[in-house]
Amino acid sequence: MTADAKYGLWGAMNFCTACGRTTASAGDVRPQGHGPRTRAARWWLATLLVCVLSMHASTAVAADPLPSWRDRASRQAIVAFVEKVTARGSGEYVEEAERIAVFDNDGTLWSEAPMPVQMDFVLHELKRRAPQEPELASDPMVQAALAGDFDALMAGQSHAGLLRVLQLTHTGMTTDDFRRRVRAWAAQYRHPRFGAGLAAVTYTPMRELLDYLRNNGFTTYIVSGGGADFMRAFAQELYGVPPEQVIGSTTDTEFVLADGVAALRKTSERMFIDDKLAKPVGIHERIGRRPVMAVGNSDGDQAMLEYTTLGNPHPSLGVLVHHTDARREYAYDASPPVSGRLANALAVAPSRGWIVVDMAADWSNVLHPH
């Protein structure tokens, strides 16, 4: 055997410790024109490419997209659903345009106890304005809110007291001014129990789920009873959900032009409360497609889950978050601190085939680190 032939067969071969494959040595490749050596160079390049691709694939497999979800039935069902609707030729494949996932916000994406976060904004605004606005300070519902009398605000089927303070703090200004007020409040917000800012009362597992779905071709929407303009002020930063993918409670706005500046002013006319039976209506009017996945945590989300899973021409999935972790967050269902009652939706979940996420058992982490 000639030296060149021996080089071609053995001289350029090494063992790649990174992936366990045999490769050619870059340092042994000689100038072109020598057949065996040229073949060795080609072999080295091809084998190196295989090694790189293999290492990349191994890293992708090793990266857990849902690290805060324990390997239990809830996680398994979610992953199985995503895999089947994204696998071409599976018989249950769903085109990307139809992969719509809708999420409630309060109690689903962030903590709603001991009171809904938006209520903290309401109180902040009332405390800021009441000393300078005697008429506002004299309103009975403002006084109830400032005294912490949430029973008075929530009394009645329509919660007239709550709607009153929402009207006083959410209307009468431009949308730009309202956004600035929300952003100023958010910068100083601290949760009454955890002492943490806004990002730290979001649920880490749900943020992971939002990313996981988007990485698999889903479009994620927030569909909440909370104010649409309120949530739009932070939804992109907290959840990666842009303002146009936020559906919430609204009132009419009107166009105004003053001193050459165009704006929209928030009015108190025609209030739309995006809760319970109104959620599917809001989804239809804003999205125009039926979701294939819906995630909520209360009876207020039941109609949204039913619209998603009953009679859907595509494979679909309903998910309920059950607050069972008093140590790391709160434990409640039928008797919540203020909002988020979960009773009827929990009772019908088995017959509907919905997943019920046990927060204490299914999540290794709850609140986002801060």
Side-chain angles (χ1 to χ4, degrees):
M1 178 181 294
T2 66
D4 281 348
K6 184 176 181 180
Y7 166 83
L9 289 174
W10 302 106
M13 305 300 288
N14 285 323
F15 187 75
C16 178
T17 57
C19 67
R21 286 185 169 83
T22 301
T23 65
S25 171
D28 290 336
V29 178
R30 300 183 187 179
Q32 292 185 359
H34 302 270
R37 287 166 241 184
T38 303
R39 286 195 298 273
R42 291 173 179 169
W43 169 256
W44 175 77
L45 290 173
T47 309
L48 181 61
L49 179 61
V50 171
C51 290
V52 171
L53 293 176
S54 175
M55 291 169 64
H56 177 75
S58 298
T59 302
V61 170
D64 184 354
L66 300 172
S68 297
W69 291 74
R70 295 190 175 107
D71 190 18
R72 289 167 47 86
S74 294
R75 174 197 165 108
Q76 293 165 8
I78 289 170
V79 171
F81 171 75
V82 171
E83 288 179 346
K84 76 179 181 181
V85 300
T86 58
R88 289 186 179 275
S90 69
E92 295 184 281
Y93 176 77
V94 176
E95 295 288 345
E96 282 198 25
E98 301 292 340
R99 292 182 211 158
I100 305 296
V102 292
F103 288 75
D104 173 55
N105 184 44
D106 293 312
T108 300
L109 296 180
W110 69 8
S111 181
E112 63 182 341
M115 65 179 179
V117 173
Q118 190 168 352
M119 193 63 204
D120 187 277
F121 169 73
V122 170
L123 295 176
H124 178 270
E125 284 294 286
L126 294 178
K127 291 174 182 177
R128 181 182 68 83
R129 292 171 52 190
Q132 288 80 38
E133 301 178 38
E135 185 177 351
L136 176 76
S138 65
D139 188 289
M141 289 300 104
V142 171
Q143 293 175 353
L146 292 176
D149 187 358
F150 297 115
D151 288 340
L153 296 179
M154 300 299 291
Q157 188 67 28
S158 62
H159 310 314
L162 176 61
L163 295 182
R164 173 64 177 162
V165 294
L166 286 171
Q167 177 189 27
L168 291 170
T169 54
H170 287 62
T171 64
M173 74 287 291
T174 67
T175 53
D176 290 337
D177 187 30
F178 180 74
R179 177 181 172 83
R180 283 191 291 270
R181 295 185 188 188
V182 174
R183 299 283 293 180
W185 158 83
Q188 57 80 53
Y189 171 81
R190 290 297 179 271
H191 188 274
R193 173 182 168 187
F194 303 113
L198 207 58
V201 297
T202 61
Y203 300 133
T204 297
M206 299 308 289
R207 292 171 64 148
E208 293 170 359
L209 180 56
L210 286 166
D211 287 339
Y212 175 58
L213 292 174
R214 288 190 289 260
N215 289 338
N216 281 277
F218 283 76
T219 304
T220 54
Y221 287 81
I222 294 176
V223 181
S224 172
D229 288 336
F230 175 76
M231 293 182 290
R232 287 170 181 162
F234 51 76
Q236 179 102 45
E237 294 173 34
L238 293 186
Y239 309 126
V241 176
E244 64 270 21
Q245 290 166 211
V246 174
I247 303 172
S249 297
T250 59
T251 57
D252 279 355
T253 56
E254 60 183 7
F255 176 78
V256 292
L257 184 62
D259 299 325
V261 178
L264 292 173
R265 182 164 54 214
K266 294 168 66 66
T267 77
S268 58
E269 301 297 319
R270 293 201 303 177
M271 182 175 285
F272 172 72
I273 305 299
D274 189 43
D275 195 28
K276 299 178 181 176
L277 302 182
K279 287 200 172 189
V281 175
I283 290 171
H284 171 71
E285 290 180 351
R286 287 290 311 281
I287 303 176
R289 297 179 188 270
R290 181 174 289 205
V292 297
M293 184 172 180
V295 187
N297 78 297
S298 73
D299 290 349
D301 303 313
Q302 182 173 341
M304 180 172 74
L305 268 69
E306 289 172 339
Y307 179 59
T308 299
T309 61
L310 304 182
N312 197 325
H314 299 297
S316 58
L317 184 67
V319 180
L320 281 173
V321 176
H322 190 188
H323 292 259
T324 59
D325 199 326
R327 181 179 63 85
R328 296 183 296 176
E329 202 242 6
Y330 295 90
Y332 61 89
D333 39 48
S335 300
V338 175
S339 64
R341 183 178 188 273
L342 178 62
N344 193 61
L346 187 62
V348 302
S351 63
R352 299 284 197 252
W354 299 339
I355 297 169
V356 177
V357 176
D358 183 324
M359 184 181 285
D362 288 328
W363 290 355
S364 59
N365 298 303
V366 176
L367 299 178
H368 199 66
H370 64 279

